[in-house]
C-alpha cells in the first residue's frame, strides 16, 4: 500500500511539475519529465512486445498457422501483431498503473500480462483476416 501511495504522490508531483511554464515555454524540469515519460513508455512498450511474442508462440492457432509460413513470414506477422499490441498499450493503462509498474517489478509483470491479454486476440485477428 505504501508503494502505491508513494508512486501516486510521485506521479502527481511529476504531472504538476510538467505543467509549469515560464513565459509560455516549458522549463528544463518539464522537459526532463517529458523525456523520462517517453523513456518509461518505450521500456513499457518493449516489455509488451516481448510478452506478446511469447504469448503468440504458445497459442495453438499460431502453431497451426506458422507451419505454412516461412521464418520471414512468421517474423513479419509477429512484428505486425505485436506492434499493434504495443501501440494499444498506452491506451489501456493509467499513469498510476505506470508509476506502480516503475516501482514494483511484480506489478509490472502483472500489468504487462494484463495489457497483452486484452489486445493480443484483437490484433492477431485483424492481421490474419
Amino acid at each position: 500500500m505504501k508503494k502505491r501511495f508513494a508512486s501516486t504522490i510521485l506521479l502527481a508531483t511529476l504531472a504538476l511539475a510538467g505543467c509549469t511554464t515560464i513565459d509560455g515555454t516549458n522549463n528544463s524540469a518539464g522537459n526532463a519529465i517529458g523525456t523520462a515519460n517517453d523513456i518509461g513508455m518505450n521500456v513499457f512498450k518493449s516489455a509488451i512486445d516481448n510478452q506478446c511474442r511469447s504469448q503468440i508462440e504458445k497459442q495453438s492457432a499460431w502453431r497451426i498457422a506458422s507451419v505454412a509460413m516461412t521464418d520471414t513470414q512468421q517474423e513479419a506477422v509477429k512484428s505486425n501483431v505485436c506492434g499493434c499490441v504495443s501501440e494499444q498499450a498506452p491506451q489501456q493503462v493509467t499513469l498510476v498503473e505506470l508509476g506502480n509498474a516503475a516501482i514494483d517489478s511484480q506489478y509490472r509483470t502483472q500489468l504487462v500480462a494484463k495489457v497483452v491479454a486484452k489486445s493480443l486476440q484483437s490484433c492477431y485477428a485483424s492481421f490474419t483476416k
Side-chain angles (χ1 to χ4, degrees), residues 1-55:
M1 183 66 180
K2 289 181 182 179
K3 286 183 181 181
R4 288 190 182 182
F5 179 73
S7 66
T8 303
I9 298 272
L10 176 67
L11 286 172
T13 302
L14 292 175
L16 293 174
C19 295
T20 61
T21 60
I22 300 172
D23 297 331
T25 59
N26 283 340
N27 60 18
S28 61
N31 291 336
I33 290 168
T35 301
N37 185 41
D38 291 343
I39 291 169
M41 189 55 69
N42 287 337
V43 169
F44 181 68
K45 283 183 176 182
S46 178
I48 293 289
D49 186 72
N50 289 336
Q51 178 72 19
C52 175
R53 288 173 183 272
S54 173
Q55 289 301 315

Side-chain angles (χ1 to χ4, degrees), residues 31-129:
N31 291 336
I33 290 168
T35 301
N37 185 41
D38 291 343
I39 291 169
M41 189 55 69
N42 287 337
V43 169
F44 181 68
K45 283 183 176 182
S46 178
I48 293 289
D49 186 72
N50 289 336
Q51 178 72 19
C52 175
R53 288 173 183 272
S54 173
Q55 289 301 315
I56 282 177
E57 292 173 359
K58 292 178 182 177
Q59 293 185 359
S60 58
W62 171 257
R63 288 188 215 128
I64 293 167
S66 65
V67 171
M69 294 184 222
T70 66
D71 288 344
T72 305
Q73 289 170 326
Q74 289 178 22
E75 185 56 36
V77 171
K78 284 182 192 177
S79 293
N80 287 335
V81 171
C82 292
C84 171
V85 171
S86 295
E87 290 304 313
Q88 287 184 8
Q91 300 162 2
Q92 296 182 18
V93 295
T94 65
L95 285 175
V96 172
E97 288 174 321
L98 286 176
N100 290 336
I103 294 170
D104 185 350
S105 63
Q106 288 180 334
Y107 185 84
R108 180 174 45 249
T109 302
Q110 292 171 350
L111 182 62
V112 166
K114 180 179 88 171
V115 169
V116 170
K118 278 185 179 179
S119 55
L120 181 61
Q121 291 302 322
S122 65
C123 287
Y124 185 68
S126 69
F127 285 105
T128 57
K129 286 182 180 179

